Amino acid sequence: MSIDDIARPEGRAQRGGDYARLSQRISEAGLLRRRPGYYVVRFATVGGLFAGAWVAFFALGDSWWQLLLAAALAVLFGQVALLAHDLAHRQVSRRRGATELAGLLVGNLGIGLSYGWWMDKHTRHHANPNHEELDPDVSPDLLVWSQNQARASSGVARFIGRRQAWLFFPLLTLEGFNLHVSGFRALFSGNLKRRGLEAVLLSTHVVAYLAAVFLVLSPGKAVLFILVHQGLWGVYMGSIFAPNHKGMPMFSGDAQPDFFRKQVLTSRNVLGGRFIDVALGGLNYQIEHHLFPAMPSVHLRKARPIVRDYCAELGVPYHETGLFASYREALRHMHDTGAPLR
């Protein structure tokens, strides 16, 4: 299954009657229509702030104030990553070639995130969210996501698993570095379609980034700038994606519900107004996003009452909570998951 199949409702094989009826309501509400004007403004705003931050970086020079700019750039890197996410889901445009090129420029060149690697990983996640064997986002690594994974863990994962709820946010400071490393590792996997182009763009980003930082800042400030920037970017990325599924029901083997229920039951919405919508890039409406990945993120808020009411009609649990409550639920799940190791 490709990300195109996930992004287009007509490309799904598992279109049961319940999902088909919901799709009709969403379509009749006009929420699947593209919003080019919205994305022009959003790309221009984020791109302008991104470019402005680097202009300010060079203007400030060798100053400790650069650490505040490092924090601002961490947020902007996250916002650029969210644009790459929307591109990958064909929310911006249906044109494959233009979308892939924009994704490579925004992801690989802009923030050093491999667009091809992430798109493959994210596609598999959308197809089987919270499935222990099929969802790469819950594959055991340093962290474990089920008690079965905890019992089977060894080495560092077993040590961390005992106290992973306490270590989760500190570990997120490494996520920015991990995203860069994962992209370069993917270049040697043979799975990337445009491996040469991805390699050139990723390398260009790293060389330009390091050259800028070490040419403008003294060595000590440069290292600290990188640690603050990449560390906070990792925390921000984790804070965007952790509330979406962590702590929600998980599946294994062939025991899965139909497409509609699988997407709703494994996802959590996060409420909090327009600020949360912007900060999380619309992914706080995770239920609607998983049901309709190609829906422009600006429409997800409008889709929420339609989906929520439809779930109530069918008696399907629809879970939404506040941002900090979502973190508590996720961390509680991680603590319970590590119980066999304590």
Side-chain angles (χ1 to χ4, degrees):
M1 179 182 292
S2 71
I3 204 162
D4 297 342
D5 297 324
I6 290 176
R8 292 194 297 266
E10 63 268 27
R12 297 188 179 97
Q14 296 177 319
R15 292 191 61 183
D18 291 337
Y19 181 75
R21 285 188 290 273
L22 176 60
S23 296
Q24 184 176 359
R25 295 185 188 185
I26 292 293
S27 180
E28 290 173 351
L31 299 179
L32 297 178
R33 290 198 301 265
R34 294 295 181 271
R35 288 288 301 274
Y38 162 78
Y39 278 108
V40 166
V41 172
R42 184 172 164 191
F43 269 84
T45 301
V46 174
L49 291 171
F50 187 79
W54 283 112
V55 170
F57 172 82
F58 287 106
L60 270 176
D62 190 20
S63 167
W64 287 108
W65 289 105
Q66 294 281 19
L67 297 183
L68 292 178
L69 196 55
L73 275 168
V75 175
L76 288 170
F77 265 50
Q79 287 293 315
V80 172
L82 288 169
L83 289 175
H85 170 273
D86 287 11
L87 284 166
H89 279 298
R90 301 288 181 86
Q91 296 177 18
V92 182
S93 171
R94 295 183 185 274
R95 297 170 59 190
R96 181 192 299 269
T99 293
E100 288 186 357
L101 177 60
L104 289 167
L105 292 175
V106 168
N108 293 53
L109 185 61
I111 59 175
L113 172 66
S114 170
Y115 179 75
W117 164 77
W118 179 85
M119 189 169 66
D120 172 71
K121 177 175 178 286
H122 197 61
T123 299
R124 289 184 284 126
H125 158 70
H126 264 267
N128 293 283
N130 274 15
H131 191 288
E132 289 189 43
E133 293 87 37
L134 301 176
D135 181 0
D137 286 359
V138 293
S139 295
D141 191 8
L142 287 179
L143 302 174
V144 292
W145 304 107
S146 72
Q147 292 196 354
N148 288 335
Q149 292 178 355
R151 294 186 185 96
S153 65
S154 61
V156 176
R158 192 171 185 86
F159 173 79
I160 291 177
R162 296 189 184 102
R163 44 190 70 82
Q164 62 180 10
W166 296 99
L167 295 174
F168 178 67
F169 280 102
L171 285 172
L172 285 181
T173 60
L174 303 176
E175 181 61 17
F177 297 102
N178 178 56
L179 291 172
H180 296 309
V181 171
S182 296
F184 278 100
R185 288 176 60 187
L187 296 175
F188 301 96
S189 68
N191 295 327
L192 293 181
K193 292 191 301 181
R194 304 178 186 274
R195 184 166 53 176
L197 180 57
E198 293 229 13
V200 169
L201 293 176
L202 283 176
S203 300
T204 300
H205 169 85
V206 172
V207 170
Y209 177 85
L210 293 177
V213 172
F214 280 97
L215 284 174
V216 171
L217 302 176
S218 62
K221 289 191 186 79
V223 170
L224 192 55
F225 178 93
I226 292 171
L227 291 176
V228 171
H229 174 219
Q230 299 294 329
L232 291 180
W233 179 43
V235 172
Y236 183 34
M237 292 294 287
S239 299
I240 291 172
F241 289 96
N244 299 340
H245 302 282
K246 302 304 184 262
M248 299 302 291
M250 294 183 63
F251 302 103
S252 62
D254 296 328
Q256 293 191 72
D258 61 90
F259 175 83
F260 169 74
R261 286 165 178 80
K262 175 170 63 176
Q263 302 298 340
V264 174
L265 294 175
T266 60
S267 302
R268 175 196 294 111
N269 276 10
V270 177
L271 304 180
R274 296 291 183 180
F275 175 79
I276 295 298
D277 290 2
V278 173
L280 303 189
L283 297 183
N284 46 312
Y285 303 107
Q286 191 67 192
I287 296 172
E288 289 71 28
H289 171 60
H290 259 257
L291 288 169
F292 302 98
M295 179 185 293
S297 56
V298 71
H299 285 164
L300 293 171
R301 169 185 277 269
K302 297 177 182 178
R304 171 179 163 262
I306 298 175
V307 175
R308 183 191 57 200
D309 293 347
Y310 186 69
C311 287
E313 289 178 24
L314 299 180
V316 176
Y318 179 99
H319 187 50
E320 54 187 1
T321 186
L323 181 63
F324 293 108
S326 73
Y327 292 144
R328 284 196 298 271
E329 291 178 7
L331 293 175
R332 188 182 303 116
H333 167 76
M334 295 177 69
H335 181 74
D336 294 342
T337 294
L341 302 177
R342 290 193 292 276

